[in-house]
Every structure is written in C-alpha cells, then in structure tokens.
Amino acid sequence: MKNLSTRRTIRQYSQREVSDALLNRLMTEAARTQTMGNLQLYSVVVTRSAAMKARLAPAHFNQPMVTAAPVVLTVCADFHRTTRWCEERQAQPGYANFLSFQNAATDALLYTQTLCNLMDEEGLGYCYLGTTLYMPQMIIDTLQLPQLTMPVATLTVGWPAEEPPLSDRLPLESFVHSETYHDYTPRDIDTYYYNKEQLEENQNFCRINNKATLAQIFTDIRYTRKDNEAMSEGLVKALRHQGFM
C-alpha cells in the first residue's frame, strides 16, 4: 500500500492482469467524489485492446507506456449523458457552452484524482498523461466521443515494474498564500526554486541542451510559446466541434 508521500509516476508495468473486478470496484468507489449538482459530469473509456491502444498512442506522442500498459483510461468531461437525460424527461438542456465544459472538466478531474488515490492504496501504478489536451480531436475520433463530451485526462494503469525516484516538489510556502495572493520577489524565486535548480539531473538537462537556466528548458524546449499557441488553437477547435463553444 502506498500513500501520497511516496507517490511515484509509473511508466513501466508488469504483465500481471488488472482485473475487471478490481478496476470496476475502484471506479465505483471513485464515484463518491464531489460532483456539481450530483450530476457526475464525467465518463471513462476503458481501453484494453492492443489495437485501440495503438490507435490512441499518436495522440500522446507515441509515449511507450500507452501501448505497454495493460489498461488505458480516458476520462471525459461529459455533459452529453445529462443532456440526453433532460431530453428524455421533457426538460430543455442548456449545456452547449464553455461554462458547462468547465463544470464537467472539474467533475472529471476530481474523479480522476480520487481514482488515482484509490489505485495507490491497491498498489497499482499509473502515469497521468499531460498530452490529453494537446491533440484532443484525435482522441475524440478514435473513441467516437459524441457532442458535449471532451477528453480531459488519460491514465496508463498497471502493476509497477519499476520504482523510480520520488520527484522533487516546491516547498509549502511557495504556493500557499495567507488571506490574499502575495506576489513573488526575486529573493522568493531564488529561495523556492533553489533545490530544484541544484538537482544534478536538472543541471545536466541544462548542460546537454546548452541552456543557462532550468527555466529555459521549459520555455525553449519543453513547453514553447509556438507549441502552446498551436495546441491552444487545436483545443478551441475541438471544443467547438464538440459543441462547448
């Protein structure tokens, strides 16, 4: 059994099966998480087949854990089901708008985090893929998502075949503000980011990429303005396609 203090991102998995019974139990328990209006504005697409994982992989930049993991879970912000319920009950739904996407995305992400906590308790490993919103239309097409349904989170899931080191984290004082938000002085930035910047692995990133600072790794290589703007356009286009804008 794990706890939050030892949580690791797992990208390598054993061949041990993740049973339907276990996964269904955890997904059922996760449904006790908070939800707007008790509407449960989320759906989960469970992918087990090698063929479907191979079709999903390009949307996640072909990261190897997508095809290697026993299970891939795509969690969707879903106002489609609620809209269909309203239509079948002589009610007039008004959820084809951006606010409704935000509400459904919040529900879906809360559900995802609760599910992660439950998987930790069972000893399962998982990787939360940050690529879900990068090329959402590809996921929408592959999973045949209907209107008012949008992928917001993807988890690769299995039994761990590795024990990677713990990732570093910023100190509490760097992100907790008392009463009002307090902006950061140069000294604050130096203090809060010192340990991260001194890690040998991060200093090595700078050396091999010929960058003067770790921040430049993020701005110039990992999350560039050009890529962010291009993927933002794709995200907005997908939201329009799905009826949320």
Side-chain angles (χ1 to χ4, degrees):
M1 180 181 294
K2 306 180 202 175
N3 58 50
L4 290 176
S5 65
T6 58
R7 170 174 283 169
R8 292 170 167 83
T9 294
I10 301 299
R11 296 178 174 86
Q12 297 180 29
Y13 306 97
S14 75
Q15 295 303 304
R16 179 183 170 190
E17 178 190 15
V18 179
S19 70
D20 284 332
L22 173 59
L23 186 58
N24 289 342
R25 174 171 66 80
L26 297 180
M27 291 193 294
T28 299
E29 291 175 3
R32 299 307 306 170
T33 199
Q34 302 93 326
T35 173
M36 193 194 81
N38 200 27
L39 290 173
Q40 293 179 252
L41 301 171
Y42 50 80
S43 286
V44 184
V45 180
V46 180
T47 302
R48 289 183 178 274
S49 80
M52 285 299 291
K53 286 185 282 189
R55 290 181 60 191
L56 280 172
H60 299 289
F61 298 96
N62 291 307
Q63 296 177 86
M65 58 274 195
V66 177
T67 52
V71 183
V72 176
L73 303 179
T74 305
V75 186
C76 302
D78 185 354
F79 243 119
H80 177 78
R81 183 184 63 252
T82 301
T83 294
R84 290 291 299 120
W85 174 55
C86 293
E87 291 170 344
E88 294 295 325
R89 296 296 183 267
Q90 299 77 51
Q92 296 297 318
Y95 307 122
N97 47 68
F98 188 68
L99 176 64
S100 296
F101 167 70
Q102 287 288 92
N103 287 331
T106 299
D107 265 21
L109 293 173
L110 285 169
Y111 177 86
T112 301
Q113 186 59 70
T114 300
L115 182 59
C116 287
N117 293 342
L118 293 170
M119 291 194 296
D120 278 329
E121 292 179 358
E122 291 291 334
L124 282 166
Y126 56 86
C127 180
Y128 185 106
L129 301 185
T131 47
T132 305
L133 295 180
Y134 289 179
M135 292 187 286
Q137 192 61 53
M138 190 179 298
I139 300 173
I140 291 166
D141 294 341
T142 300
L143 301 181
Q144 301 178 25
L145 302 182
Q147 287 277 286
L148 300 184
T149 309
M150 186 75 180
V152 295
T154 302
L155 300 171
T156 59
V157 181
W159 299 102
E162 63 171 341
E163 190 173 347
L166 291 175
S167 300
D168 66 285
R169 289 294 186 265
L170 294 173
L172 179 71
E173 58 269 24
S174 71
F175 58 83
V176 173
H177 302 257
S178 178
E179 306 299 344
T180 60
Y181 191 102
H182 297 276
D183 207 350
Y184 298 93
T185 67
R187 183 176 180 180
D188 290 335
I189 296 299
D190 289 344
T191 299
Y192 299 151
Y193 284 87
Y194 178 81
N195 288 337
K196 180 184 290 288
E197 291 173 336
Q198 293 305 306
L199 288 173
E200 176 57 31
E201 63 191 85
N202 288 337
Q203 293 191 0
N204 189 50
F205 286 152
C206 295
R207 285 193 293 269
I208 64 178
N209 289 287
N210 296 313
K211 295 299 177 182
T213 70
L214 180 62
Q216 291 174 356
I217 297 293
F218 289 86
T219 61
D220 300 353
I221 298 175
R222 296 194 63 184
Y223 308 112
T224 68
R225 182 190 301 273
K226 179 181 177 181
D227 288 345
N228 288 338
E229 291 177 348
M231 289 185 288
S232 292
E233 290 180 7
L235 175 59
V236 170
K237 186 176 180 180
L239 285 169
R240 292 188 188 281
H241 183 274
Q242 294 306 97
F244 280 116
M245 295 183 68

